[in-house]
Amino acid sequence: MGNCCFGSDDIKSANDGLNNKFDKRFNDKFNDNLNEREIDSKKYGDENPRPMIFALMRNGHEVIRGAMVDISEEIDTQMSRGDKADADKIIEMWNALHAWEGMHKTMEEGKGVKGSQKTSPVGFFEILDRKFDGIATKNGLFDAHSDLDEFEAAMHTACHLKHILKIERAWKNFEEFNSAHLKKEESIMMVKVTEMAKSGENLNDMMRNEIFALIANS
């Protein structure tokens, strides 16, 4: 996934943005999950509830969804201004979302050339493929990321032009595809995480060594 239309200063600014609004959204979702788990433990009398480590991946999706809502609202606001529409804030928000989603995609698909033999850390999709007979590949999860790259490239082009109508069109296409893509991932990943947890897999080590290690220097 490339940052085809922006320079290093733009990308640095976007990455810096991950340390405030997007990180806050992620932490809020993570704390919500912990609170729900605490409530469940009280309700069911579980004195030592197990950490839900893979909720980090699911909450990553919620960060993306929340950012998409914010961008949609900002596009609507600017479209309502007619000739006075200003794309700068939309572009800033898009850069931050793109940087966050790029990191999240790396955690899912790993690094390296598609189709090549992977070595640790391999990413979440590869874990699913190895443990569940190629389920990520068979269901098009890797391919969906390639398709998503194309929608992102179109959004980059529109932002580079600062053309509000083209931004709106590119955004709607991206938003529609990405929303469906997140939902499909969850329909597969959440079920299989539950199966791994019930079978006694060490999910903490899996997350630390095969997923978090991919972004250790991000």
Side-chain angles (χ1 to χ4, degrees):
M1 180 182 61
N3 296 296
C4 58
C5 299
F6 299 96
S8 59
D9 290 341
D10 297 307
I11 302 305
K12 182 180 184 300
S13 177
N15 283 324
D16 288 345
L18 299 179
N19 293 323
N20 42 66
K21 183 174 182 179
F22 285 98
D23 276 355
K24 181 181 184 301
R25 192 192 301 277
F26 182 88
N27 289 334
D28 287 346
K29 292 301 300 183
F30 181 66
N31 289 332
D32 286 346
N33 185 280
L34 292 181
N35 290 337
E36 289 171 5
R37 185 58 178 168
E38 182 179 357
I39 291 170
D40 286 345
S41 68
K42 292 178 180 178
K43 179 178 179 180
Y44 296 109
D46 183 358
E47 295 180 358
N48 297 293
R50 295 175 63 183
M52 301 173 69
I53 187 66
F54 269 83
L56 294 170
M57 299 297 289
R58 177 65 174 79
N59 289 344
H61 282 192
E62 292 307 310
V63 172
I64 293 168
R65 286 189 174 101
M68 291 198 298
V69 169
D70 291 344
I71 293 175
S72 293
E73 290 177 352
E74 181 61 24
I75 289 176
D76 288 344
T77 296
Q78 295 305 326
M79 289 293 295
S80 71
R81 299 181 66 195
D83 293 342
K84 296 182 179 180
D86 186 348
D88 287 347
K89 186 174 180 181
I90 298 170
I91 293 170
E92 179 184 355
M93 296 167 74
W94 165 251
N95 283 343
L97 171 60
H98 184 251
W100 172 272
E101 189 152 19
M103 181 174 66
H104 184 77
K105 286 201 291 186
T106 296
M107 294 168 70
E108 292 179 335
E109 67 185 30
K111 296 180 179 178
V113 179
K114 182 181 177 181
S116 62
Q117 183 67 32
K118 291 187 176 181
T119 57
S120 184
V122 299
F124 194 18
F125 291 170
E126 183 69 17
I127 291 171
L128 293 175
D129 269 358
R130 291 180 181 183
K131 294 185 177 295
F132 298 102
D133 192 28
I135 191 171
T137 298
K138 290 177 180 177
N139 282 276
L141 300 191
F142 286 102
D143 290 338
H145 279 192
S146 297
D147 294 338
L148 191 60
D149 288 345
E150 296 181 14
F151 287 101
E152 290 174 343
M155 186 63 182
H156 279 316
T157 299
C159 287
H160 181 71
L161 295 171
K162 293 190 174 183
H163 192 296
I164 192 66
L165 292 176
K166 291 183 178 180
I167 289 173
E168 182 194 34
R169 190 178 306 118
W171 174 254
K172 285 184 176 179
N173 291 335
F174 168 84
E175 182 184 32
E176 180 179 358
F177 181 86
N178 201 29
S179 294
H181 147 251
L182 295 175
K183 187 174 180 179
K184 182 173 182 179
E185 282 186 352
E186 290 161 5
S187 71
I188 297 166
M189 295 158 59
M190 293 172 69
V191 172
K192 294 308 177 184
V193 166
T194 299
E195 288 183 20
M196 288 190 290
K198 288 181 178 179
S199 69
E201 293 275 2
N202 191 329
L203 300 184
N204 290 346
D205 282 353
M206 190 182 295
M207 177 65 76
R208 180 173 60 250
N209 298 324
E210 302 296 348
I211 297 176
F212 276 176
L214 288 161
I215 59 168
N217 298 317
S218 295

